[in-house]
């Protein structure tokens, strides 16, 4: 039986239909992402699942005593609570259960045959085990540390920003580990390190989860099933974001030709995902495997750890060569820039040049100074030291507070301030509705005041307005916050086609990977590292280097074992010698075959003729064969090295 079962659920608001006779169920251990455009009914569905909103018709069935908890967009806390008290507020039942368990353990020491006590003891044990609450104090410390809440733990919760309060609420829910956890945009206001910790925790503790998110890497890593809300119905896809793209493209391919535009967007997105993510994963598999082996050898072989650390650092430096084209127009020349807010140093001695076609992402932990650097480049705050030389150019700026919008104006007044209903977009004269339709606004929105729109709708208006400006550089501060995935795809397409420079601040790894050609990375020592690699690749290298450093420290604290005389390995067999000669050619042929399949998947004529599912299956089979052959070759080569050592 499902934990939650929605049967023929319908929900309308006045004359607007949201859901019509939809079915939905959650099984134990599932992690379900709800996908859809803003306003399609994602949040409505979540509230019905939670039981805080009643459907107009249909049935909601849940298992007895099922504990469902939801992360609200605007969480509520008890008045006067500190951050730590707010985090621990939901743990009263778990703490009471642990106290009672300890009491029963003592009592059973004297009366072990008491069946009543034994049954209660066993029931409490299962309850604590289910919530993974044996080491609750350690978990509290770990979560507060990773969510950057330790420094605020004694601070009244009411003094925190909205984003910080959401982190507190999320930390509390994760510690409670309800039977079903509902999360609405959990990665908003988390930096990439917090998101990585959240992913690890959800997978490790086997949460049953229903969530809404625009973070496509997070979806792909976490989701076991994708549910799309579209035109009052639900459509189910297996797996995460990459599977959703493939299956959705196949679904749309069977529909009428009017869906060609959407198919084109999905095809481009799928191509990028397949090319970027699969290639990166392929590169990293060897490193991951070596790291697993090194964990076992760490205590006795620090030399190997140092060698791999050097290799990884060399690999990272490979991306960091200056690839600037000096003939390009200079926009900013930064010399020995330092930034400071009060007593807090954010940046020291940063020197760089920003050119007319640079596409730069500024990344780093929350509070490191990313938005402050943008304001310094814009001339809104003075440097603490150093200089910023600016060329002659026009800037389009998108900030988190949407300062370019006037709440008292409607959309026509916003886009056509001098009257009429036409708007100029990069040399094209367009009707304002025709333009706004590209940003998923229906015609009835034209007369709506900006002030009545939701946060996500305001972001869409601000971005659409930004792309009507005649500018040389776009500077965007967290542009994907509060946007749905279809709108982010539109934003990415506009940025890709923009002829000038782009500077973005973002924690969205997928967005940064797809758009940025260069990274400015805020480091712990208040410097900025410049890199040309993908952000997710940089984060993986950074994580692996940190792991190697930790292993090296451990190896130095453990006494070295005396060297043993190593027995000489056996010689290679005849079969292994033949494989050593033949496998490189086999592997090369498989690589060519994989490239051909990927090329076919990128060509509509080819994949329509062959069938996208057939191609995807063939590609998976070839890739599996490729991995086995590579592993076989590596094993033989390692044996050969051992024989020769």
């Amino acid at each position: 039986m499902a934990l939650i079962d929605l049967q023929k659920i319908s929900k309308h608001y006045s004359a607007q239909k949201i859901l019509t006779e939809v079915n939905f169920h959650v099984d134990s251990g599932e992690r379900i992402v709800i996908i859809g455009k803003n306003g399609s009914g994602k949040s409505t569905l979540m509230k019905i699942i939670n039981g805080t909103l009643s459907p107009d018709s249909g049935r909601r069935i849940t298992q007895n005593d099922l504990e469902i908890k939801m992360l609200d967009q605007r969480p509520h806390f008890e008045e006067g609570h500190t951050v730590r008290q707010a985090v621990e507020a939901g743990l009263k039942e778990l703490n009471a259960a642990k106290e009672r368990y300890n009491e029963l353990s003592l009592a059973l020491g004297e009366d072990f045959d008491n069946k009543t006590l034994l049954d209660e003891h066993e029931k409490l044990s299962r309850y604590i085990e289910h919530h993974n609450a044996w080491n609750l104090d350690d978990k509290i410390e770990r979560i507060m540390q990773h969510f950057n809440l330790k420094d605020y733990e004694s601070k009244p919760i009411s003094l925190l920003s909205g984003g910080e309060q959401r982190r507190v609420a999320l930390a509390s829910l994760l510690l409670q580990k309800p039977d079903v956890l509902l999360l609405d945009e959990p990665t908003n206001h988390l930096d990439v390190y917090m998101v990585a910790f959240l992913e690890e925790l959800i997978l490790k503790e086997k949460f049953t989860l229903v969530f809404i998110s625009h973070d496509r890497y997070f979806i792909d890593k976490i989701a076991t099933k994708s549910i799309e809300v579209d035109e009052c119905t639900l459509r189910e896809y297996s797996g995460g974001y990459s599977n959703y793209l493939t299956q959705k493209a196949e679904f749309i391919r069977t529909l009428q030709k009017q869906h060609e535009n959407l198919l084109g967007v999905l095809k481009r997105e799928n191509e990028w995902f397949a090319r970027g993510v699969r290639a990166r994963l392929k590169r990293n598999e060897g490193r991951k495997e070596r790291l697993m082996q090194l964990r076992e050898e760490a205590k006795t072989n620090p030399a190997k750890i140092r060698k791999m650390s050097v290799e990884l650092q060399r690999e990272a430096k490979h991306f960091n060569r200056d690839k600037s084209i000096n003939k390009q127009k200079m926009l900013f020349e930064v010399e020995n820039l330092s930034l400071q807010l009060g007593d807090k140093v954010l940046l020291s001695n940063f020197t760089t040049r920003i050119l007319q076609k640079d596409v730069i992402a500024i990344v780093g932990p929350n509070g490191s100074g990313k938005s402050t650097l943008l304001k310094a480049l814009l001339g809104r705050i003075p440097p603490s030291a150093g200089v910023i030389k600016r060329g002659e150019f026009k800037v389009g700026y998108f900030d988190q507070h949407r300062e370019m919008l006037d709440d008292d104006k409607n959309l026509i007044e916003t886009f056509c301030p001098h009257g009429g209903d036409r708007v100029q977009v990069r040399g094209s004269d367009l009707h304002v509705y025709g333009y706004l339709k590209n940003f998923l606004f229906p015609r009835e929105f034209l007369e709506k005041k900006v002030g009545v729109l939701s946060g996500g709708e305001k972001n869409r208006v601000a971005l659409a307005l930004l792309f009507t400006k005649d500018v040389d550089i776009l500077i965007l501060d967290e542009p994907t916050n509060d946007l749905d995935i279809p709108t982010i795809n539109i934003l990415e397409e506009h940025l890709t086609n923009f002829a000038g420079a782009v500077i973005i601040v973002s924690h969205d790894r997928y967005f940064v990977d797809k758009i940025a050609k260069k990274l400015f990375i805020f480091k712990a020592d208040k410097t900025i590292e410049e890199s040309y690699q993908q952000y997710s690749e940089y984060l993986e290298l950074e994580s692996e280097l940190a792991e190697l450093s930790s292993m090296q420290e451990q190896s130095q604290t453990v006494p070295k074992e005396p060297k043993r005389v190593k027995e000489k390995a056996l010689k290679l067999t005849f079969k292994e010698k033949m494989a050593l000669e033949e496998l490189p050619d086999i592997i090369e042929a498989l690589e060519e075959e994989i490239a051909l399949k990927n090329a076919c998947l990128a060509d509509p004529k080819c994949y329509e003729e062959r069938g996208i599912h057939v191609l995807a299956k063939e590609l998976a089979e070839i890739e599996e064969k490729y991995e086995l052959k590579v592993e076989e070759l590596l094993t033989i080569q390692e044996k050969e090295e051992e024989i020769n050592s």
Side-chain angles (χ1 to χ4, degrees), residues 465-519:
L465 186 61
L466 186 67
F467 289 114
T468 66
K469 307 298 182 186
D470 180 20
V471 296
D472 303 297
I473 180 170
L474 293 172
I475 296 180
L476 302 97
D477 194 357
E478 292 291 358
T480 64
N481 274 3
D482 298 317
L483 295 184
D484 53 21
I485 291 174
T487 309
I488 295 174
N489 281 328
I490 293 166
L491 169 62
E492 289 165 349
E493 194 165 350
H494 277 274
L495 289 174
T496 302
N497 294 329
F498 180 66
V502 177
I503 302 176
I504 54 175
V505 166
S506 182
H507 293 302
D508 187 329
R509 297 159 295 174
Y510 189 104
F511 176 70
V512 172
D513 276 358
K514 195 170 179 184
I515 296 300
K517 296 182 174 65
K518 184 178 181 180
L519 303 176

Side-chain angles (χ1 to χ4, degrees), residues 133-200:
W134 293 111
N135 298 310
L136 202 50
D137 290 339
D138 291 343
K139 280 183 68 179
I140 291 169
E141 289 299 314
R142 186 164 174 252
I143 283 180
M144 290 190 68
Q145 196 74 45
H146 280 278
F147 279 173
N148 199 21
L149 299 172
K150 277 296 289 180
D151 292 342
Y152 311 129
E153 65 179 334
S154 301
K155 191 175 181 178
I157 190 78
S158 58
L159 298 182
L160 268 59
S161 69
E164 290 166 341
Q165 288 187 4
R166 269 178 59 86
R167 291 212 302 272
V168 171
L170 178 58
S172 182
L173 284 176
L174 292 169
L175 287 163
Q176 293 169 50
K177 200 189 175 191
D179 297 321
V180 180
L181 179 59
L182 309 179
L183 300 177
D184 191 351
E185 293 290 0
T187 63
N188 272 3
H189 311 290
L190 301 185
D191 64 33
V192 290
Y193 303 102
M194 296 174 189
V195 173
F197 170 73
L198 177 61
E199 291 170 346
E200 177 194 338

Side-chain angles (χ1 to χ4, degrees), residues 497-540:
N497 294 329
F498 180 66
V502 177
I503 302 176
I504 54 175
V505 166
S506 182
H507 293 302
D508 187 329
R509 297 159 295 174
Y510 189 104
F511 176 70
V512 172
D513 276 358
K514 195 170 179 184
I515 296 300
K517 296 182 174 65
K518 184 178 181 180
L519 303 176
F520 286 172
I521 306 157
F522 272 79
K523 308 292 286 183
D525 62 359
K526 315 303 180 188
T527 62
I528 285 180
E529 177 184 344
E530 295 188 44
S531 175
Y532 289 86
Q533 68 200 112
Q534 285 196 321
Y535 189 31
S536 51
E537 169 77 1
Y538 168 84
L539 290 169
E540 282 160 0

Side-chain angles (χ1 to χ4, degrees), residues 289 572 575-588 591 625-641:
E289 189 176 337
L572 291 181
K575 186 178 177 182
E576 287 170 334
K577 287 179 180 177
M578 291 296 295
L580 201 58
E581 290 181 11
E582 295 170 357
L583 280 171
D585 291 335
I586 294 171
I587 289 168
E588 188 177 345
E591 285 175 343
K625 186 177 179 182
Y626 172 82
E627 296 302 329
L628 289 172
K629 294 298 180 186
V630 169
E631 187 177 345
E632 184 183 349
L633 179 60
L634 287 172
T635 303
I636 298 170
Q637 286 175 337
E638 284 175 9
K639 184 176 177 182
E640 186 181 38
E641 285 177 13

